[in-house]
Amino acid sequence: MKSIRKPRLSKMDYAQKKALWGFIYVLPWLIGFVIFFFVPLLSSLRFSFSAITANSDGITVKYIGLQNYVEALTINTSFNRVLTESIVNIVVNIPLIVIFSLFLAVLLNQKFIGRSVARAIFFLPVILASGVIMNLESTSLVQAINDASSGAKVVRSLQSFELEKLMLQAGVSGWGVDYLTGSVDRIYQIVSQSGVQILIFLAGIQTISPQLYEASKMEGATGYEAFWKITFPMVSPLILVNVIYTVVDSVSSNEITDLILDTGFTAFNFGLSSAMATIYFLAVSLILLVGGYLISRKVFYYN
Amino acid sequence: MRYSRLVSVEHWKRWVWSFVRLVLIVGLSFLIVYPILQKISTSIKDKEDLYSPIVVWIPLHFTWDNFKQAITIMDYWETLANTFALSISTTILTAITCALAGYGFARLKFKGSNLLFAGVILTILVPPSTILIPVYLNLKDFTLMGLIPLLTGKSANLLNTYWPFLLTALTANSLKAGLYIFIFRQFFRGIPKEVEEAAYIDGAGIGTTFSRIMLPNALPAIITVLLFSFVWQWNDSFFTTTYLATGKVMSVQLASLPYNLSGITDGVSSRSDPFYLSMVQDTGILLAILPLILMYFCVQRYFVEGIERTGIVG
């Protein structure tokens, strides 16, 4: 009797011990979460409802209700425009980046000479795509001069112009044509933002068991069919992951965050800046919710 | 006869596909490498080659002058050492604390641990600019819940020191730390429970199990997190330019490069040639990312293979 009871007791202890250690392991994160995230988040919310004046004694916070939100949405000259631009930009780029990175992951998964070199190059944007470098690059005069003198820009715009005409004549709707040619023009932006997504898709494709492809080949499926019937459903959970990652990645630094920072640190209007940040956060969560809902309905889980 | 023709159609299709693939991959690779190549070409050009129509890629007058200029303006060697110190210290601290938290969330369940994990997800989703201002004010008057004024009599100003980065790294809340916790959690969940139970039966405590069994198994995840964290800390301009506005760190130097450049031509900015300034600026960017590129080519094998086994997918 005793010998049966003893292990059960010690197992209880083990579970408790595990819970205790779990709390200890999570504790550093929890402290940081409270100090550097949760309290700031709450005070950001509080700031957005207040007028803040900074003087030599520190700052005084006075409750003024929704005034900051009203100012951001109706009085501030650039907020509405920049917000819609940034949001539209994110929404437009999501499908492009996800489709492009899935396509490239499939390509990079095939066997060909120089595959490891190609992979190394395609993951390079993970390193290079960062705020400062991208910003400075767009202002580089030497690059602009080189592009102009080599005629690259002229040729490029001519090509998408031709393409546009061709597609419009073929009866594709004007909106779709704009979207496609626009994406051709923004190819560099898309390539440089899809490094991590390619990695995630590639990892996912490699976990698909080869038996599935063998069986489909036996049944006479073409590569195209195998992609839509096997690869696509199997990586569909990762599409969700990648959409979320793309949104999170692109919200962290764009024109709207610049505007928020400017309002806060150049104009020292902390209240207005917090209100803008809150509106921005709400907009981003709306995108994530809608996108997540739409995609998770289509996602296929193997097990 | 018919059979061989069928085979040849297959063969032909495959040939066309590999040609299309080659064109696509070479073209896109070129697109990615192009800015770097151009920067290299620009940085070794002499001033007079800028306006020469026959110079496109390879300069006629080879020179190291741009490098010398950029190095003096950016105070390159000191900046490099500082950036390395900052990135390495935060990277290691972040990896340790995130691994602990990830293991805690994955295997050591306690009451409310799922709720706290929802908090981790929240830190990934909230744009950093939302909480930047309160954090900034908090760091300017850092009290640590009233502890520091108690000890020293006044609150500490942590701006323009490395403390904000070290403290957030020490508490697993640095740049994109939520993502690293997520990666670790997914990975630890993928390691079979039996391994842990076997270790327990052999007399290993929870600390020993973690350090001797789980960590060595999690090497791919560790490498991925180390690399991401190092690179993103190195490149981060968002937090670094706010907390360390006057620090000699790479991203701050890069951000103020256009301004500092205007001082190089005898202080008269109107006399300086914008193209020449842009040339030096390109050289500066090249110098800033060069250590990263060199490092990347040394470790890219682990990088590519590492993430395939980190289980973000699982």
Side-chain angles (χ1 to χ4, degrees):
Chain A
M1 202 60 205
K2 215 175 177 185
S3 64
I4 297 171
R5 232 160 125 190
K6 213 177 172 187
R8 192 183 283 167
L9 248 179
S10 70
K11 205 178 176 192
M12 266 289 282
D13 281 351
Y14 183 53
Q16 276 173 349
K17 223 162 69 183
K18 265 172 92 165
L20 178 70
W21 277 99
F23 188 69
I24 292 172
Y25 276 19
V26 171
L27 196 62
W29 170 79
L30 188 62
I31 294 171
F33 176 74
V34 171
I35 298 178
F36 294 110
F37 184 81
F38 199 63
V39 172
L41 191 65
L42 290 184
S43 49
S44 174
L45 213 59
R46 191 169 63 105
F47 284 176
S48 68
F49 292 110
S50 346
I52 294 158
T53 40
N55 49 29
S56 53
D57 310 330
I59 55 164
T60 47
V61 181
K62 206 180 94 207
Y63 180 77
I64 53 166
L66 286 170
Q67 212 168 304
N68 282 322
Y69 288 89
V70 173
E71 187 181 345
L73 288 172
T74 56
I75 300 174
N76 193 287
T77 44
S78 44
F79 181 71
N80 282 333
R81 184 178 50 81
V82 175
L83 181 70
T84 28
E85 262 173 25
S86 305
I87 297 290
V88 166
N89 217 359
I90 292 169
V91 172
V92 162
N93 272 349
I94 292 170
L96 288 177
I97 290 176
V98 170
I99 293 168
F100 177 78
S101 51
L102 178 59
F103 176 68
L104 270 181
V106 172
L107 269 192
L108 290 176
N109 193 40
Q110 294 177 341
K111 281 200 171 64
F112 56 88
I113 302 163
R115 182 172 73 164
S116 53
V117 178
R119 281 188 186 181
I121 290 175
F122 277 98
F123 303 142
L124 207 55
V126 177
I127 292 179
L128 301 181
S130 90
V132 194
I133 296 170
M134 293 292 271
N135 271 346
L136 288 182
E137 222 154 57
S138 58
T139 58
S140 171
L141 268 170
V142 175
Q143 200 143 325
I145 284 290
N146 274 2
D147 281 350
S149 63
S150 61
K153 272 233 168 81
V154 181
V155 172
R156 210 185 299 148
S157 57
L158 198 70
Q159 269 174 348
S160 56
F161 181 67
E162 284 288 319
L163 191 71
E164 224 172 306
K165 227 169 62 182
L166 204 73
M167 279 163 68
L168 280 173
Q169 277 172 356
V172 186
S173 75
W175 184 83
V177 172
D178 279 351
Y179 186 64
L180 282 176
T181 51
S183 63
V184 172
D185 290 343
R186 272 179 301 143
I187 186 78
Y188 182 72
Q189 198 195 344
I190 290 164
V191 173
S192 58
Q193 281 185 2
S194 44
V196 175
Q197 287 88 330
I198 296 174
L199 268 179
I200 292 174
F201 273 135
L202 194 60
I205 290 172
Q206 286 176 343
T207 57
I208 301 173
S209 75
Q211 283 97 313
L212 286 175
Y213 290 104
E214 274 166 28
S216 75
K217 213 173 180 183
M218 293 284 226
E219 306 277 349
T222 60
Y224 180 77
E225 281 165 345
F227 174 79
W228 286 109
K229 297 269 155 70
I230 300 172
T231 315
F232 191 72
M234 294 297 276
V235 297
S236 63
L238 294 183
I239 293 180
L240 186 63
V241 173
N242 273 337
V243 167
I244 293 174
Y245 181 81
T246 311
V247 174
V248 169
D249 191 41
S250 47
V251 296
S252 59
S253 164
N254 52 25
E255 292 101 55
I256 186 81
T257 58
D258 291 347
L259 180 70
I260 292 171
L261 287 187
D262 270 358
T263 321
F265 291 95
T266 317
F268 289 109
N269 197 342
F270 286 146
L272 182 61
S273 174
S274 296
M276 285 175 171
T278 310
I279 296 173
Y280 181 49
F281 171 57
L282 289 179
V284 169
S285 12
L286 195 70
I287 300 179
L288 280 174
L289 279 178
V290 171
Y293 175 70
L294 287 180
I295 294 165
S296 57
R297 277 172 55 193
K298 302 274 177 201
V299 164
F300 167 83
Y301 288 102
Y302 186 56
N303 25 13
Chain B
M1 197 61 202
R2 214 175 140 200
Y3 180 67
S4 74
R5 193 197 266 164
L6 252 177
V7 165
S8 79
V9 168
E10 273 304 297
H11 184 78
W12 185 74
K13 243 166 74 182
R14 197 173 301 155
W15 190 84
V16 168
W17 170 236
S18 55
F19 180 72
V20 170
R21 187 173 59 198
L22 180 79
V23 169
L24 268 174
I25 286 184
V26 170
L28 289 170
S29 300
F30 178 72
L31 199 66
I32 295 171
V33 181
Y34 175 73
I36 303 173
L37 289 181
Q38 187 156 55
K39 280 196 184 61
I40 294 173
S41 146
T42 311
S43 63
I44 54 173
K45 253 179 220 168
D46 194 71
K47 233 175 178 173
E48 45 187 311
D49 280 1
L50 259 182
Y51 296 104
S52 158
I54 52 168
V55 175
V56 178
W57 285 101
I58 301 160
L60 277 177
H61 309 275
F62 176 82
T63 173
W64 288 111
D65 273 359
N66 295 325
F67 279 103
K68 279 179 201 147
Q69 282 278 20
I71 284 174
T72 38
I73 291 172
M74 293 172 70
D75 211 342
Y76 185 70
W77 301 116
E78 200 193 329
T79 308
L80 190 70
N82 284 344
T83 318
F84 253 111
L86 179 65
S87 301
I88 286 178
S89 51
T90 55
T91 299
I92 291 173
L93 288 176
T94 306
I96 293 171
T97 49
C98 286
L100 283 175
Y103 186 59
F105 282 124
R107 277 298 155 76
L108 309 171
K109 296 272 188 217
F110 52 93
K111 249 188 192 159
S113 86
N114 282 333
L115 188 73
L116 289 183
F117 190 69
V120 174
I121 302 295
L122 194 68
T123 60
I124 301 179
L125 297 184
V126 172
S129 46
T130 308
I131 57 162
L132 187 70
I133 288 165
V135 172
Y136 182 86
L137 294 174
N138 188 3
L139 288 171
K140 202 166 171 233
D141 274 316
F142 196 69
T143 54
L144 200 70
M145 314 209 167
L147 266 179
I148 292 176
L150 218 67
L151 294 175
T152 60
K154 59 176 170 41
S155 58
N157 183 358
L158 296 185
L159 293 175
N160 286 324
T161 63
Y162 290 155
W163 282 109
F165 303 97
L166 293 179
L167 284 177
T168 49
L170 204 60
T171 54
N173 264 275
S174 53
L175 184 70
K176 298 198 182 180
L179 189 67
Y180 309 142
I181 295 177
F182 188 68
I183 291 177
F184 271 124
R185 172 179 175 265
Q186 294 296 83
F187 195 85
F188 285 130
R189 279 175 75 182
I191 296 176
K193 268 208 169 100
E194 287 77 20
V195 177
E196 227 169 301
E197 277 158 14
Y200 176 64
I201 286 169
D202 286 349
I206 288 159
T208 327
T209 315
F210 176 67
S211 60
R212 300 280 293 277
I213 293 169
M214 298 312 257
L215 277 187
N217 273 318
L219 202 63
I222 295 173
I223 289 173
T224 311
V225 168
L226 283 177
L227 274 162
F228 273 159
S229 159
F230 187 84
V231 164
W232 280 334
Q233 177 62 49
W234 184 287
N235 279 337
D236 166 58
S237 61
F238 190 79
F239 288 113
T240 317
T241 46
T242 327
Y243 299 160
L244 252 183
T246 56
K248 283 215 176 345
V249 195
M250 209 57 96
S251 53
V252 178
Q253 290 287 328
L254 265 188
S256 54
L257 190 59
Y259 172 75
N260 289 344
L261 271 177
S262 55
I264 61 171
T265 40
D266 324 324
V268 187
S269 56
S270 58
R271 240 185 24 219
S272 57
D273 178 356
F275 292 120
Y276 177 62
L277 294 186
S278 176
M279 199 159 124
V280 181
Q281 180 182 314
D282 277 6
T283 316
I285 297 175
L286 186 70
L287 278 171
I289 56 178
L290 205 60
L292 281 183
I293 293 179
L294 291 180
M295 196 188 81
Y296 173 72
F297 278 108
C298 295
V299 295
Q300 62 92 9
R301 179 173 296 276
Y302 301 101
F303 193 48
V304 175
E305 284 170 10
I307 198 155
E308 282 163 13
R309 285 183 273 133
T310 43
I312 307 181
V313 257

